[in-house]
Amino acid sequence: MTHRTISIPAAAPVVSSFRCIACGVIRDNADHDFRCNDCGDLLEIFYPAWHSEQMATNAPGFKALWQQRKTSRRAIDESGVWRFRELLPALRDWDQAITLREGNTPLYNLPACARIAGVKQLHAKHQGMNPTGSFKDTGMTVAASFALQEGFRWVACASTGNTSASMAAYAARSAMRSLVVIPEGKVSWAKLSQALDYGALTCELRTDFDGCMRVLNEVVKQWPVCLLNSVNPYRIEGQKTGAIELLEQFDWQVPDHIIVPGGNLGNCSALGKALLELLDLGLITRTPTVSVIQAEGANTLLRSIREHGGKKLIPMQAQTAATAIRIGSPASWKKAVRVLQATGGTVEQASEIEIAQAKAEIGADGIGCEPASAVTLAGLKKLVKQGFVKQDDIVVLILTGHLLKDPEFTLKFHRGDLFKGTEYAQQAAALRSHQRAPVTLEPTADAVVKALEQAEKSIPHN
Ligand code: F0G
């Protein structure tokens, strides 16, 4: 049998610079805090050569090239991030990329959730199926690889848990050491255990995520460490590939809506940047709307948009059991506002009860995710009711973290303990039909058969 090969010349190594998102100043280098020296705002990576003739000639061939790489055994081709390297900043040596074969995450349909939300086609892009169980790996492979290339011995992040787990893993795969700064008692033990196993120096501080970020910003001035929070624009570049891969999975047919949880707001910024770049390069002809859902107790972006037209953001003391997005002063809020404006998206919020219910509903579709990811379904239900999302629209939820990232939340939910002693205890009664607590029985077949009979009566058939 003969194999047909497609030979398309890869573009020359991608030349990139840093550009300030506020004053637009362009630089070749960034300081330790990845902020503009002139105005203090965030930097982004941009590609001056993208409007060149060479890019215009090569871009149409990218889709076939990216597809072709799926059959390659080269590590960077097996990575669902570096496979798209024509749209990433160039490493001096591609084969020095630190990769755990991240990306390559599945796109599932969610039939039961679609019925619940009131749309015909609902999909989940499950970024929790990344090597350390969250979307963070897609950005971390790029940012860690550049930190290594720059010769850093230490990398560091403040985290609600997933960034730290991911960073610690990528540092451990190379010669770098990692410093994790997390809020004591506010990170799920599953995530904490990852950082420990991957050998991070883990500092638990008696503060919240925002307090950890403040401390780390001081540390980076005093110790030569590469900051790997999502203010690091290389993280954003890697996270772009979630959207590129999604489009590829749709055979480049553009879905109508992408719905993403909002915490520090790096991920929605990255997905939006990817979509706008794909549009710019002519690889798609329109973008989906990108909408952000926040937890009600950490809804700074929502308030910024509704109360200040997206022009300012007032930090808050964040509070939610979806600890991954318990953030009161999101760093990338300006980038997020631009994405909402450029794609015509919106922002919604989900209450604690709504998050818990949505998580159980996604679980009942056989997929499962962590609480922060479930805000997407909770938000979608509202967007459908408001008419912002139409019944015939094709919708994609970005599930950012794996179910096993926060087992305590799930166990407490099913045992009916999640809201015990809280202000939501009464409302939580409405969640009973979603709860599946384990039953403790005598060790006999009779007892188990009785349980089966009981279950047959009580659980409706699909
Ligand atoms: N979902 C999960 C599972 C997360 O871990 C995070 C952020 C988000 C959503 C929000 O993404 O910050 O880009 O808006 N977790 C960070 C961390 C803050 O430290 O792990 P974002």
Side-chain angles (χ1 to χ4, degrees):
M1 197 170 85
T2 52
H3 289 276
R4 244 163 38 109
T5 54
I6 317 160
S7 61
I8 294 126
V14 191
V15 179
S16 59
S17 306
F18 297 102
R19 178 170 61 190
C20 172
I21 61 162
C23 71
V25 73
I26 293 171
R27 300 181 184 282
D28 287 339
N29 299 304
D31 275 350
H32 51 263
D33 60 354
F34 295 104
R35 286 189 176 270
C36 174
N37 289 337
D38 293 350
C39 74
D41 222 314
L42 292 184
L43 300 178
E44 64 180 353
I45 287 175
F46 98 113
Y47 303 91
W50 275 14
H51 292 104
S52 69
E53 209 174 300
Q54 191 198 9
M55 198 62 171
T57 318
N58 282 340
F62 288 168
K63 292 177 186 173
L65 178 65
W66 296 334
Q67 193 64 32
Q68 191 188 22
R69 284 184 182 144
K70 285 185 168 177
T71 59
S72 159
R73 286 276 160 261
R74 193 177 169 196
I76 51 162
D77 290 343
E78 287 186 336
S79 161
V81 171
W82 296 104
R83 193 160 68 79
F84 301 106
R85 56 190 170 275
E86 281 67 27
L87 304 194
L88 298 177
L91 284 167
R92 278 199 288 278
D93 177 357
W94 291 115
D95 291 311
Q96 293 300 309
I98 312 166
T99 174
L100 287 162
R101 316 302 190 270
E102 51 291 313
N104 300 314
T105 57
L107 182 70
Y108 297 119
N109 66 345
L110 293 177
C113 292
R115 279 195 296 279
I116 291 165
V119 290
K120 287 188 188 147
Q121 278 197 63
L122 181 59
H123 304 266
K125 172 72 175 156
H126 206 331
Q127 295 289 69
M129 305 297 266
N130 267 292
T132 75
S134 85
F135 71 99
K136 305 287 180 179
D137 296 341
T138 59
M140 203 54 76
T141 182
V142 176
S145 298
F146 275 91
L148 184 68
Q149 178 175 287
E150 293 306 312
F152 279 99
R153 177 165 156 66
W154 281 90
V155 289
C157 71
S159 181
T160 56
N162 280 327
T163 303
S164 49
S166 180
M167 181 191 72
Y170 282 84
R173 298 293 298 169
S174 67
M176 296 186 295
R177 300 204 56 197
S178 61
L179 166 68
V180 159
V181 185
I182 50 173
E184 188 192 28
K186 297 179 187 108
V187 167
S188 90
W189 47 257
K191 298 175 189 178
L192 174 60
S193 66
Q194 288 181 288
L196 302 181
D197 227 30
Y198 302 139
L201 164 61
T202 303
C203 301
E204 296 188 279
L205 306 191
R206 268 175 228 114
T207 178
D208 54 11
F209 169 83
D210 302 290
C212 289
M213 204 64 249
R214 276 193 294 276
V215 170
L216 186 59
N217 282 334
E218 288 303 311
V219 173
V220 297
K221 290 182 200 155
Q222 296 175 32
W223 189 269
V225 58
C226 184
L227 183 63
L228 289 190
N229 278 96
S230 56
V231 293
N232 180 325
Y234 291 111
R235 282 269 314 278
I236 303 290
E237 292 308 291
Q239 285 174 208
K240 286 189 322 193
T241 58
I244 305 171
E245 188 176 76
L246 171 69
L247 264 301
E248 187 185 60
Q249 287 165 315
F250 271 103
D251 289 328
W252 303 99
Q253 302 301 305
V254 179
D256 299 297
H257 297 274
I258 294 181
I259 300 185
V260 58
N264 218 13
L265 301 173
N267 203 27
C268 58
S269 306
L271 300 175
K273 187 170 191 282
L275 294 168
L276 296 169
E277 287 175 357
L278 290 173
L279 187 66
D280 209 25
L281 291 169
L283 298 181
I284 51 176
T285 51
R286 66 182 177 98
T287 72
T289 67
V290 177
S291 294
V292 175
I293 316 296
Q294 296 195 293
E296 220 168 77
N299 62 354
T300 45
L301 180 70
L302 177 121
R303 290 198 286 161
S304 168
I305 300 273
R306 292 197 185 161
E307 292 164 26
H308 308 289
K311 292 202 167 58
K312 73 174 175 182
L313 180 132
I314 300 178
M316 68 190 288
Q317 190 81 43
Q319 183 56 47
T320 169
T323 51
I325 49 174
R326 185 175 173 163
I327 295 175
S329 182
S332 295
W333 70 275
K334 282 189 193 164
K335 290 185 181 180
V337 168
R338 282 183 196 180
V339 166
L340 298 187
Q341 287 168 346
T343 66
T346 187
V347 56
E348 249 307 334
Q349 60 186 348
S351 72
E352 296 297 290
I353 298 278
E354 288 164 345
I355 294 171
Q357 177 170 341
K359 189 176 116 51
E361 287 164 345
I362 295 168
D365 244 332
I367 301 301
C369 63
E370 69 167 284
S373 309
V375 297
T376 53
L377 178 62
L380 171 65
K381 292 181 201 171
K382 293 183 177 173
L383 298 183
V384 173
K385 283 210 181 93
Q386 294 158 11
F388 183 80
V389 174
K390 309 276 183 300
Q391 199 191 6
D392 289 327
D393 287 349
I394 299 173
V395 184
V396 183
L397 307 181
I398 306 292
L399 301 184
T400 45
H402 199 280
L403 171 73
L404 297 177
K405 281 287 196 171
D406 197 348
E408 204 177 342
F409 182 105
T410 309
L411 278 175
K412 279 186 173 166
F413 174 84
H414 287 288
R415 290 191 163 131
D417 294 340
L418 190 60
F419 297 107
K420 237 183 210 165
T422 74
E423 58 188 300
Y424 309 108
Q426 254 188 332
Q427 276 175 281
L431 298 174
R432 259 184 222 130
S433 64
H434 298 277
Q435 287 161 357
R436 309 271 176 266
V439 280
T440 309
L441 303 172
E442 290 303 317
T444 66
D446 272 0
V448 178
V449 169
K450 266 202 193 106
L452 279 168
E453 284 166 359
Q454 196 67 35
E456 188 68 25
K457 275 185 231 150
S458 63
I459 299 177
H461 296 282
N462 283 330

